[in-house]
Amino acid sequence: MEDLEKEAKEKEAAENKESASEEVKEEAEKSEEKEPSKKEKKDPLKEKLDELNDRLIRQVAEFDNFRKRTDREKAQMFEQGQGSVLEKLLPIVDNFERGLAAVPEDEKDGAFADGMNKIYKQLIKQLEDLGVTPIEAVGKEFDPNLHNAVMQVESEEYESGIVAQELQKGYKFHDTVLRHSMVGVSK
């Protein structure tokens, strides 16, 4: 009998466990049903948060692009202004060169000619420090990007299409041409 009672108690315990596990499953299913409704409530907030976050990221990127563009434009305007001023100084350099070439041989050692030469060298050095370099012309192949051909010259020294004579010196500022060299090209 004791065995029978033991078996009955075990069956009852097993049934209780089953009913308890069924109840747990039912509660889990109910909570799962409730969770989607909670998620549905959170979804509009999460969507709004994602939308606002996306807008913020886009505005930050747009502002960064704007800042970079304005910095680039400022640098370009500064360089253009600098090039314009340097271009206006080139006739002064030309006049110094003409003045020094016009000094007679017997006066080249004089104080006046020496002073002009020193000022000319100082001006050329400052232009070089700023990035202004003369364009090589004589003996080079004619390049319309660097040279302005004003005449053709007969030359036994140079082949056809080679710059034989430089009438006015040209200059470059970094990679841009400030003034084209005025040249005579051999026939």
Side-chain angles (χ1 to χ4, degrees):
M1 255 256 215
E2 288 179 15
D3 288 336
L4 287 175
E5 284 178 10
K6 230 181 193 183
E7 280 182 34
K9 285 183 182 179
E10 287 176 5
K11 276 187 183 180
E12 199 176 299
E15 286 175 6
N16 285 342
K17 283 183 183 178
E18 284 179 21
S19 66
S21 66
E22 284 177 15
E23 287 176 11
V24 170
K25 285 180 185 177
E26 287 175 12
E27 285 181 30
E29 288 174 4
K30 286 180 183 177
S31 66
E32 284 177 9
E33 289 173 6
K34 289 180 183 178
E35 283 181 22
S37 64
K38 287 180 183 177
K39 284 183 182 177
E40 287 173 7
K41 288 179 184 176
K42 286 184 181 179
D43 277 346
L45 293 175
K46 184 163 175 37
E47 287 176 13
K48 187 70 173 175
L49 179 67
D50 289 344
E51 179 187 331
L52 291 173
N53 192 22
D54 185 52
R55 281 179 50 194
L56 177 67
I57 289 170
R58 288 179 189 273
Q59 282 185 335
V60 167
E62 191 174 314
F63 180 73
D64 191 43
N65 290 340
F66 171 76
R67 183 182 51 77
K68 288 176 184 176
R69 184 175 58 247
T70 55
D71 288 346
R72 190 172 47 247
E73 287 172 356
K74 280 182 197 176
Q76 233 175 11
M77 287 173 42
F78 180 75
E79 193 166 312
Q80 285 176 347
Q82 193 177 15
S84 177
V85 169
L86 292 171
E87 190 175 353
K88 290 178 182 177
L89 289 175
L90 295 180
I92 297 169
V93 173
D94 294 339
N95 288 335
F96 264 110
E97 288 173 351
R98 285 188 207 107
L100 289 171
V103 174
E105 284 295 321
D106 58 337
E107 294 180 21
K108 284 198 180 205
D109 293 334
F112 180 73
D114 189 42
M116 274 185 56
N117 198 21
K118 286 181 180 178
I119 293 170
Y120 170 74
K121 286 180 180 178
Q122 184 180 12
L123 180 60
I124 293 296
K125 184 181 180 329
Q126 288 301 315
L127 289 174
E128 286 174 357
D129 290 346
L130 291 171
V132 177
T133 55
I135 296 173
E136 298 288 324
V138 177
K140 303 286 182 183
E141 186 174 339
F142 176 74
D143 182 359
N145 296 321
L146 302 174
H147 308 124
N148 181 16
V150 292
M151 63 185 202
Q152 285 188 331
V153 234
E154 300 226 7
S155 174
E156 294 176 10
E157 188 177 343
Y158 299 107
E159 296 176 13
S160 178
I162 303 294
V163 176
Q165 185 179 19
E166 183 177 49
L167 304 170
Q168 185 179 36
K169 197 181 280 187
Y171 292 92
K172 288 172 71 174
F173 176 56
H174 298 297
D175 291 332
T176 59
V177 176
L178 277 180
R179 182 175 72 188
H180 291 80
S181 297
M182 197 178 300
V183 298
V185 181
S186 62
K187 291 184 187 179

